[in-house]
Amino acid sequence: MQLKFGTSGLRGLSEELKGEPSARYAKAFARHLIASEQAKAGDPILIARDFRDSSPEIAGVCADALKSEGFRVFDCGTVPTPALALYGLVHKAAGLMITGSHIPADRNGIKFYRPDGEIDKNDELAISSIADAIAGEAVPSAGSGEDHAASAADLFLQRNRDLLPPGSLGGLRIGVYQHSTVARDLLVELLTHLGAETVALGRSEDFVPVDTEAVSPKTLAKLTAWAPEHRLDAIVSADGDGDRPLVADEKGVPLRGDLLGLVACEFLGAQIAVTPVTSNSGLERAEGLSVIRTRVGSPYVIAGMAQAVAEGGTKVAGFEANGGTLTASDFSVGNGVLKALPTRDSFLPILAVLGRAAEARMTLSALAASYRLPVALSDRLEHFPVETSSRLMAFLRGGAENLGGFLAAIGRPAAVSDIDGLRVTLADGRTIHFRPSGNAPEMRCYVEAETTAEAESLLAQGLSTIRSWAKVTSN
């Protein structure tokens, strides 16, 4: 598995990232910042990390690499990625988050932030080019930076404390699935501050790869067991670096991430929402909200938000299908102003949906049902060779005959979107979407239908058809 930029930062096997490669990409980032006049020697630069076993070593090597380029390193410790991004915006400092997000523990990655927010695809190309050119340079020893962990965490907590009125979650009993997310203690502290009774669940010293967009059967079994056992109104959590939310209702059933994003946009009073093509097609029915679709990945959502603002849009927000919510505008919330934070954040959608349910005195399941969105499900085929994914997508894009034959046992195509992967609306109104993962050897399938049974059947058919095609064409 080679190091490469995917939908969210640089990713690869942990052993491939340790040592020289991490130092090289940190140096490349530093040199790109200086060459593009986004920073200069002597400026502060931030580093934070998740709880993977490999993250401290990688962070240490990156810290010394950045020092060797003349930067002051601020060590923000183990804080959520949006906390690092917020601290960087306030201090006008670039940053690195050492994290593999939700992928398995034997993999890791680096997310890069300019002083004004996430890097874009042009930055990725420049960093990669410099990294290739300086391969073989000496590897610095692992070091550390000035301790800013408490300050970064406190700033992020204060931002979120102000989202809801004091005591607004009083009377709610909320489980916090802590596993190994860097958000685990901050979530407990924040929800308790807002009046909720919290129950800490499933804390682990070993890294647990929780994918909030494709919740595993193992995780789902835990949630549905904990909810009645502890008499919970909700269970909340996040992925490894705390930028993707997980919210389960009083039965332990997870709410869709794109629903969380929609609720967050309503909570903010957003007029424009930018979201990938994989988000629920029912979003376009939301009253007073203009929806702009993009490719999958936060860089594309951020670019879409920036374009909306440049074209005169106001009250612009965005979210991904995993629920991570971004803001491109400042929003008036309560008696204050929520400053723009154009990076994925799990805390905003978690608080928005809990606050909405508490205010309406509704269970989370009833709140979710009130939106009447099509039932949307997704799953993936893991360990699916990238070469096979590429061949499949080329075949499906090869013409109407290829696509029709591939879907013959599923349904007749009526409309096709090629924004990212291939999203097909069938003649009976159901939707099926095939898309290779941007950061792992996986093939993803997304479906929508009117009922859960129809969606489950369509998803099973989609995955089975992919497997059969791969088997036949590999012989």
Side-chain angles (χ1 to χ4, degrees):
M1 182 179 180
Q2 294 182 333
L3 297 177
K4 66 175 184 177
F5 282 97
T7 54
S8 185
L10 184 74
R11 295 279 178 84
L13 293 173
S14 299
E15 293 303 318
E16 294 176 346
L17 189 56
K18 289 179 180 178
E20 188 273 340
S22 56
R24 177 156 44 95
Y25 274 94
K27 286 183 176 182
F29 181 47
R31 295 181 190 184
H32 170 59
L33 289 171
I34 292 172
S36 58
E37 299 183 342
Q38 297 179 76
K40 62 184 183 301
D43 283 351
I45 193 165
L46 317 178
I47 288 185
R49 61 190 181 277
D50 66 15
F51 285 124
R52 294 165 195 268
D53 289 343
S54 59
S55 292
E57 178 180 340
I58 295 170
V61 169
C62 287
D64 262 20
L66 295 168
K67 288 179 183 177
S68 73
E69 298 296 318
F71 284 88
R72 290 176 60 198
V73 175
F74 288 1
D75 184 356
C76 294
T78 49
V79 297
T81 294
L84 175 80
L86 177 65
Y87 204 65
L89 289 174
V90 169
H91 289 275
K92 297 180 173 58
L96 287 74
M97 179 72 186
I98 313 303
T99 181
S101 187
H102 62 284
I103 60 179
D106 65 340
R107 305 171 196 175
N108 212 329
I110 306 175
K111 295 181 179 179
F112 298 90
Y113 285 81
R114 306 179 311 212
D116 63 344
E118 283 190 42
I119 62 171
D120 59 25
K121 290 299 177 181
N122 291 327
D123 294 315
E124 289 179 3
L125 291 173
I127 294 166
S128 295
S129 177
I130 297 171
D132 290 343
I134 63 175
E137 286 193 5
V139 180
S141 58
S144 60
E146 303 170 33
D147 186 358
H148 282 249
S151 298
D154 288 346
L155 180 67
F156 189 61
L157 273 175
Q158 188 55 55
R159 171 186 176 86
N160 286 286
R161 286 192 191 105
D162 294 339
L163 285 176
L164 295 175
S168 57
L169 301 184
L172 293 182
R173 186 173 168 85
I174 301 174
V176 178
Y177 178 26
Q178 296 196 307
H179 60 93
S180 53
T181 175
V182 291
R184 59 191 182 186
D185 294 324
L186 296 180
L187 280 172
V188 170
E189 183 174 348
L190 178 62
L191 295 173
T192 302
H193 170 79
L194 292 170
E197 180 183 358
T198 59
V199 179
L201 303 165
R203 190 181 185 94
S204 174
E205 297 309 313
D206 297 321
F207 188 80
V208 180
V210 172
D211 187 344
T212 66
E213 185 175 0
V215 179
S216 70
K218 184 176 180 180
T219 297
L220 183 59
K222 290 179 180 179
L223 299 175
T224 54
W226 282 332
E229 177 186 353
H230 297 282
R231 305 182 310 282
L232 301 174
D233 297 297
I235 301 175
V236 302
S237 188
D239 64 339
D241 66 318
D243 67 350
R244 301 179 180 206
L246 175 62
V247 178
D249 65 20
E250 72 282 358
K251 301 172 187 175
V253 178
L255 274 60
R256 284 275 308 182
D258 41 23
L259 173 61
L260 299 179
L262 174 58
V263 174
C265 284
E266 291 181 344
F267 171 79
L268 294 170
Q271 295 177 349
I272 297 174
V274 181
T275 193
V277 65
T278 51
S279 291
N280 196 293
S281 61
L283 298 174
E284 275 77 3
R285 300 200 298 261
E287 187 175 349
L289 189 66
S290 176
V291 179
I292 298 173
R293 298 284 181 162
T294 71
R295 294 182 63 186
V296 174
S298 55
Y300 299 110
V301 175
I302 292 168
M305 293 193 305
Q307 182 175 348
V309 171
E311 293 174 352
T314 58
K315 298 184 178 180
V316 179
F319 56 89
E320 297 193 77
N322 55 51
T325 303
L326 314 87
T327 49
S329 306
D330 295 346
F331 288 92
S332 296
V333 178
N335 295 322
V337 175
L338 183 73
K339 302 295 289 184
L341 183 60
T343 196
R344 275 195 308 254
D345 178 15
S346 67
F347 282 60
L348 171 58
I350 287 173
L351 294 182
V353 74
L354 292 177
R356 175 74 182 275
E359 183 179 26
R361 298 184 181 277
M362 297 175 72
T363 63
L364 284 181
S365 62
L367 178 64
S370 71
Y371 282 85
R372 302 184 182 281
L373 296 177
V375 176
L377 301 175
S378 65
D379 203 349
R380 59 191 173 178
L381 297 178
E382 297 184 281
H383 311 297
F384 197 86
V386 173
E387 297 79 11
T388 307
S389 295
S390 298
R391 284 193 296 109
L392 172 59
M393 297 312 297
F395 174 77
L396 295 179
R397 292 183 173 111
E401 184 176 345
N402 287 3
L403 181 61
F406 184 81
L407 294 173
I410 296 175
R412 181 171 60 84
V416 178
S417 169
D418 202 8
I419 292 177
D420 193 348
L422 212 63
R423 187 177 179 89
V424 182
T425 302
L426 301 172
D428 59 9
R430 296 177 300 160
T431 299
I432 188 164
H433 184 177
F434 305 104
R435 175 182 166 271
S437 171
N439 50 40
E442 299 172 350
M443 188 68 194
R444 292 182 179 266
C445 182
Y446 310 80
V447 302
E448 291 183 13
E450 285 302 312
T451 68
T452 299
E454 289 176 335
E456 289 175 343
S457 175
L458 181 58
L459 182 58
Q461 283 183 292
L463 294 172
S464 176
T465 303
I466 295 170
R467 286 193 198 95
S468 297
W469 184 92
K471 183 177 181 179
V472 169
T473 58
S474 65
N475 294 333

